[in-house]
Amino acid sequence: MVLVLWMLGGASQARSPAEMVSFLLYAALLTRPVSSLADVYGQTRRTRGALERLGAVLTEPPESAAAGDSLPPVRGEIEFQGICLRTRTVRRRSVASACISGPERRSP
């Protein structure tokens, strides 16, 4: 923008303020499409990179069950051990240590 103003001001004939404003407005109208094209190009590059990463994830072979240790069967019980409860207003612990467990619930 500074270069355009310098070239406009350095011309041999004097320019009126109206001519300078109209020239700058036309220059802005010409640069907006170029800026939009650059923005679309950047979005396209980002999308292409994301698709390449997604393709790499999707082409990854699945792990076989024999590759690692198998997990034990799920029993459906929940157990918490060594829980400490404290409120914001009281600095000491309300419950020092607790263990909570629940049996498996079966749906009807």
Side-chain angles (χ1 to χ4, degrees):
M1 188 58 101
V2 172
L3 180 64
V4 171
L5 285 174
W6 179 69
M7 290 175 63
L8 184 63
S12 61
Q13 61 185 19
R15 306 271 185 211
S16 70
E19 288 176 335
M20 292 178 101
V21 168
S22 66
F23 178 78
L24 290 175
L25 288 175
Y26 280 120
L29 287 174
L30 290 174
T31 57
R32 280 188 196 145
V34 175
S35 175
S36 296
L37 284 175
D39 187 39
V40 168
Y41 177 72
Q43 290 176 359
T44 304
R45 297 276 302 187
R46 277 194 305 270
T47 303
R48 186 174 180 181
L51 285 174
E52 286 177 3
R53 291 188 298 273
L54 183 62
V57 168
L58 292 176
T59 57
E60 192 71 26
E63 295 180 4
S64 65
D69 296 333
S70 62
L71 296 174
V74 178
R75 295 182 306 186
E77 296 176 354
I78 298 175
E79 184 173 344
F80 297 100
Q81 296 179 351
I83 297 173
C84 296
L85 302 176
R86 182 182 316 194
T87 63
R88 292 183 183 194
T89 57
V90 180
R91 295 205 182 264
R92 64 179 174 81
R93 293 180 181 164
S94 299
V95 176
S97 180
C99 295
I100 302 170
S101 64
E104 177 183 358
R105 292 182 71 186
R106 300 200 186 259
S107 49

